[in-house]
Amino acid sequence: MRWRTTAAVLALGFVASACSGAGHERGFTPAGAIAEQPSAGSQDVAAPGAETITVAPGLQVQIEWPSGLDAAHTAMVKAFGDNYAAQWRAVGSLGKDKSYLDGVEDTASQDAYTWVRGFVAGKFSARGLAKLYSLRVASVTGRGAEVDACVDESGVRVTDSTGTPVADQPAWTKPPKSTYFQVAAVRRGDDGTWRIKLYRHAAYPDERAKECVR
């Protein structure tokens, strides 16, 4: 089963600096400091606060939306959060809900599909609560941007098709690997929609992952 992807650096032309799925160990080390967050516009359209979304029976995603974002930055962050929830919705539906593919393209599309397919092929699902927080727009270059976040999946349990937790839970459900730093490279398409082109993350014992621990 493939869990979360790994890599050395984020290297897309539209991103100034460097869920999902993975069968590899998480060995990504961020390359230096993240660029400063661009200043927000004068129009504050963000709806800050925690939102808990039920994506399937017994499976929820909690997203802590940041405050102080303008319309453009809100759309970038929302693309990240919505796709994270949509991937879990796909897992909870045993692969029937494919709406998560609408929010990804290129490498991110391949990784997301492989991750969801890992559950479906093994006849697994999930229960519990996954958390996404500390969302921020780290950099913007033209029609591309980098969005960073923290993820805590310690509240998730992998189940069999009947909803019963499996005896041997994967390492990513257990501390310290259950909390990690996630990066999404997003790009605005010709239709005005922001989609994720690439996912990368840093896992414990990387310092950025440690900073995500509450």
Side-chain angles (χ1 to χ4, degrees):
M1 189 182 300
R2 193 168 188 264
W3 300 121
R4 302 279 171 194
T5 54
T6 61
V9 291
L10 188 66
L12 288 184
F14 59 86
V15 179
S17 65
C19 324
S20 293
H24 313 294
E25 288 299 317
R26 290 184 248 174
F28 165 61
T29 300
I34 297 297
E36 289 185 7
Q37 179 172 341
S39 59
S42 59
Q43 183 183 17
D44 184 355
V45 297
E51 177 186 12
T52 301
I53 306 164
T54 299
V55 296
L59 181 59
Q60 295 180 314
V61 171
Q62 183 183 86
I63 303 174
E64 294 184 16
W65 299 108
S67 62
L69 302 184
D70 64 9
H73 287 190
T74 297
M76 298 170 194
V77 167
K78 187 169 173 56
F80 191 162
D82 286 354
N83 191 253
Y84 182 76
Q87 289 188 44
W88 280 116
R89 187 176 295 112
V91 170
S93 70
L94 301 178
K96 295 182 178 66
D97 190 318
K98 295 179 173 58
S99 61
Y100 72 100
L101 293 173
D102 296 334
V104 289
E105 56 188 24
D106 296 347
T107 303
S109 178
Q110 299 168 19
D111 289 340
Y113 176 80
T114 301
W115 182 65
V116 171
R117 186 61 189 169
F119 280 89
V120 175
K123 298 183 178 179
F124 294 112
S125 186
R127 295 291 184 271
L129 178 67
K131 298 180 180 180
L132 187 68
Y133 53 96
S134 296
L135 283 151
R136 61 185 289 263
V137 178
S139 64
V140 179
T141 303
R143 295 169 67 176
E146 176 190 328
V147 181
D148 298 345
C150 290
V151 181
D152 180 358
E153 293 170 342
S154 61
V156 176
R157 294 294 174 268
V158 175
T159 69
D160 60 23
S161 59
T162 69
T164 303
V166 299
D168 187 14
Q169 291 289 315
W172 59 264
T173 65
K174 307 170 187 177
K177 290 184 178 294
S178 54
T179 300
Y180 57 93
F181 175 75
Q182 183 91 35
V183 176
V186 299
R187 189 173 189 277
R188 188 179 67 248
D190 292 338
D191 60 356
T193 300
W194 288 91
R195 295 181 178 86
I196 299 168
K197 295 180 68 70
L198 183 67
Y199 278 117
R200 291 293 181 259
H201 74 270
Y204 184 90
D206 188 276
E207 289 303 318
R208 291 200 176 277
K210 290 180 180 179
E211 291 172 3
C212 286
V213 177
R214 291 176 162 177

